[in-house]
Amino acid sequence: MSATVELTKENFDQTVTDNEFVLIDFWAEWCGPCKQFAPVYEKAAEDNPDLVFGKVDTEAQPELAAAFGIQSIPTLMIVRDQVAVFAQPGALPETALTDVIGQARKLDMEQVRQQIAEQQAQQQGGGQGA
């Protein structure tokens, strides 16, 4: 049995809402680097059973790929507490994937939310006098 979950437009929101930490692999059947990354991703899923490892087939789920602006595959995205904290195209080697997961685990989500709020406030301010 696979340690990964097939994500579709029907279950995506629920999966991200119900789980604190979700990794998402955007891939396609015809993509060589995706096929090379698949066993690395599968092993990471087995090594981290407390996390949700999802896969989005960009051919079957073009709306999800478009919603996240996926330009190239594979693209790995990490969502913590419904906030995308990491997104990078390219097949990561096992050591890099392990490192990224470790960094994402250590994130202070309160600090991340505060930074997002500050960025949004600056964008909304748009250089206008307060």
Side-chain angles (χ1 to χ4, degrees), residues 3 36 46 51-53 58 65 74 86 109 111 114-115 124 130:
Q36 292 174 332
E46 291 167 9
L51 307 181
V52 174
F53 283 72
T58 57
F86 178 86
M109 290 310 293
Q111 192 175 21
Q114 187 176 347
Q115 288 172 346
Q124 289 170 353

Side-chain angles (χ1 to χ4, degrees), residues 26 37 44 47 50 56 69 80 92 101-103 110 115 117-118:
F26 290 89
F37 182 59
D47 292 346
D50 59 316
V56 174
R80 273 200 58 195
L92 295 175
I101 292 169
Q103 289 180 44
E110 286 301 315
Q115 288 172 346
E118 288 170 5

Side-chain angles (χ1 to χ4, degrees), residues 22-98:
V22 182
L23 292 92
I24 306 161
D25 174 22
F26 290 89
W27 69 285
E29 187 64 42
W30 52 263
C31 166
C34 298
K35 289 182 178 184
Q36 292 174 332
F37 182 59
V40 173
Y41 191 70
E42 196 73 35
K43 182 178 185 314
E46 291 167 9
D47 292 346
N48 296 277
D50 59 316
L51 307 181
V52 174
F53 283 72
K55 292 179 75 76
V56 174
D57 180 344
T58 57
E59 294 290 301
Q61 303 296 324
E63 302 92 345
L64 283 178
F68 288 98
I70 302 302
Q71 300 290 320
S72 62
I73 52 175
T75 290
L76 176 68
M77 185 175 288
I78 299 177
V79 179
R80 273 200 58 195
D81 298 341
Q82 301 170 40
V83 176
V85 296
F86 178 86
Q88 179 179 311
L92 295 175
E94 185 177 346
T95 52
L97 180 56
T98 301

